[in-house]
Amino acid sequence: MVSTKNRFRILILLVMISGFSQGMLMPLIAIILEQNGITSSINGLHATGLYIGILIASPFMEKPLRRFGYKPVILVGGALVFISIALFPFWQALWFWFVLRMIIGIGDQLLHFGTQTWITTTATKENRGRQVAFYGMFFSLGFALGPLMTRLLSINETLPFLASAVLSMLVWSSMLFVRNEFPKDEEITNVNTSNTFGRFIKAGKIAWVALLPAFGYGFLEASLHSIFPIYGIRIGHDTATLSLIIPCFAAASLITQIPLGALSDRIGRRRTLIIVLSGGFICFSATGLLESSVTALFIFFILAGMLVGSIYSLGISYMTDLLPHALLPAGNIMIGMSFSIGSISGPVLGGIFVDLFPSTSYFYLIATIILLIAAAIFIKGKKD
């Protein structure tokens, strides 16, 4: 069995491959459906399948984790992901692809909840920001590489799906060498099925403000990967260019994930979040003004990624600071639920916005969401 250090490496590698598959699926399916004449509203609704799966699975994560431990939960989640991806080429039907997306969402939630809880509960307060930043950085790395697979469409439509499935299976197999562990006793004290929702309510009352960055990141991630390819084509950019622009957001976050995590350890999560969200609002507002320029899109996607590309991991650290240890599993579930709600909202609101307001920049919608989250965090801090 592997050491604790190698276990951490395997966990973040699993997170990276999860980000890779998600980053590939959203633009890939969006482009295929757009080329088949599906409207942006339906395209956006279809993209919610993955996050509906996350929401369905979320309330039932805690009991299997306590009963079976981290390893089985992560293994089942990873298997659901790579098997579902491999099935996409066999039947191109909207409802079938939607079901596969839901199953991938369930698998991703199992995988993320297991890895995220394992990492946050074993990290110390002094290095928590950096540990979670590595988690976010590797997810972003996978997400940045995923959209590049859309370039394989010119070779064969099935190739991106099969390549991703094989890669996911290879990384998943490394988890077989990790020793299983269970949540510590103090993390499950007084925990039973009957008060699960009571713990959700208690965790929400204490740390609701820390859930907002996960919502915002989900909104950004899902809408940029599923709606921006459609919007970009409509304003005159070609598919090859878009496949290079989209990864810039996630790739740029790799530069600042660790520095921002370390900064949040020193000056606090709330202050760091307000700084990066304010910068993100400025970047996306400027993108709306200069969206016809490919150069401007590259520059502002990079700048925005360096700032708001880390809000998910910063939100996890913020939540971990606010909650007692016994509520961390519930808090991690709520982080996943908040992320999935944002991810559902992004494609739906983005698709509706593009259809209803064709003459208004789609980036103004993103800037507004970011501003509202920053304002809520600022106001909550003032009241405390």
Side-chain angles (χ1 to χ4, degrees):
M1 293 296 168
V2 300
S3 65
T4 300
K5 184 179 290 186
N6 285 332
R7 182 192 70 198
F8 177 74
R9 291 169 179 165
I10 290 172
L11 291 177
I12 59 176
L13 197 60
L14 280 165
V15 170
M16 184 187 77
I17 207 66
S18 174
F20 176 83
S21 60
Q22 287 187 40
M24 178 203 72
L25 280 177
M26 285 192 285
L28 179 67
I29 295 176
I31 290 171
I32 292 173
L33 296 183
E34 173 74 5
Q35 291 174 344
N36 291 342
I38 304 298
T39 66
S40 60
S41 297
I42 298 298
N43 211 325
L45 285 169
H46 198 275
T48 65
L50 187 145
Y51 306 105
I52 291 173
I54 293 175
L55 278 178
I56 291 172
S58 292
F60 309 103
M61 295 291 98
E62 201 172 358
K63 188 176 179 180
L65 182 69
R66 296 196 314 274
R67 182 175 180 182
F68 302 110
Y70 296 108
K71 181 177 176 178
V73 168
I74 294 170
L75 284 174
V76 171
L80 287 175
V81 170
F82 74 74
I83 291 172
S84 298
I85 291 174
L87 292 175
F88 271 93
F90 288 93
W91 192 10
Q92 191 174 125
L94 274 177
W95 72 268
F96 181 65
W97 280 17
F98 187 82
V99 170
L100 289 179
R101 278 180 148 177
M102 288 180 62
I103 295 173
I104 291 172
I106 293 170
D108 267 331
Q109 178 61 358
L110 283 165
L111 193 156
H112 279 285
F113 176 60
T115 56
Q116 187 174 296
T117 305
W118 208 343
I119 290 171
T120 56
T121 54
T122 54
T124 65
K125 187 174 182 179
E126 291 72 27
N127 72 356
R128 183 176 298 140
R130 288 185 291 275
Q131 288 273 63
V132 178
F134 272 110
Y135 176 94
M137 184 181 76
F138 274 80
F139 181 82
S140 297
L141 176 60
F143 220 87
L145 296 174
L148 297 176
M149 299 292 281
T150 59
R151 301 176 75 86
L152 297 179
L153 284 172
S154 59
I155 301 173
N156 189 291
E157 195 172 281
T158 65
L159 188 56
F161 296 108
L162 296 181
S164 178
V166 170
L167 188 58
S168 298
M169 184 180 65
L170 290 174
V171 175
W172 171 87
S173 64
S174 66
M175 191 66 196
L176 298 172
F177 302 98
V178 176
R179 187 185 305 276
N180 188 28
E181 290 186 6
F182 293 79
K184 296 178 183 177
D185 291 341
E186 67 267 21
E187 291 158 15
I188 58 174
T189 302
N190 299 322
V191 170
N192 56 62
T193 305
S194 63
N195 67 3
T196 295
F197 289 99
R199 289 195 307 280
F200 286 165
I201 293 171
K202 188 173 181 181
K205 286 181 178 179
I206 297 171
W208 66 268
V209 71
L211 305 179
L212 296 179
F215 171 88
Y217 187 79
F219 188 98
L220 271 170
E221 176 194 87
S223 60
L224 285 178
H225 283 73
S226 60
I227 299 301
F228 175 64
I230 301 167
Y231 180 72
I233 290 171
R234 293 187 181 184
I235 62 175
H237 300 299
D238 60 83
T239 303
T241 301
L242 294 174
S243 70
L244 294 175
I245 293 174
I246 294 170
C248 287
F249 178 82
S253 70
L254 301 176
I255 302 170
T256 53
Q257 284 273 359
I258 304 302
L260 286 175
L263 179 66
S264 73
D265 285 334
R266 291 198 299 271
I267 70 171
R269 325 294 179 197
R270 175 181 169 271
R271 188 179 298 176
T272 306
L273 279 165
I274 291 172
I275 291 170
V276 298
L277 286 166
S278 300
F281 166 74
I282 294 171
C283 285
F284 280 111
S285 298
T287 306
L289 295 172
L290 302 169
E291 62 186 14
S292 60
S293 167
V294 171
T295 302
L297 286 175
F298 271 109
I299 291 173
F300 285 114
F301 264 57
I302 290 170
L303 291 175
M306 292 175 69
L307 293 164
V308 293
S310 301
I311 60 174
Y312 182 78
S313 56
L314 288 171
I316 294 173
S317 299
Y318 193 17
M319 177 272 298
T320 308
D321 290 342
L322 295 175
L323 290 179
H325 242 55
L327 290 176
L328 281 181
N332 278 295
I333 289 173
M334 294 183 73
I335 284 280
M337 293 175 70
S338 182
F339 170 80
S340 62
I341 292 170
S343 300
I344 290 170
S345 304
V348 172
L349 293 180
I352 293 172
F353 186 88
V354 169
D355 279 345
L356 294 182
F357 307 102
S359 59
T360 303
S361 176
Y362 150 77
F363 293 107
Y364 294 148
L365 174 64
I366 294 178
T368 301
I369 296 296
I370 292 174
L371 180 63
L372 291 174
I373 294 171
I377 294 173
F378 178 80
I379 294 169
K380 175 64 169 63
K382 285 290 184 182
K383 290 181 178 180
D384 291 340

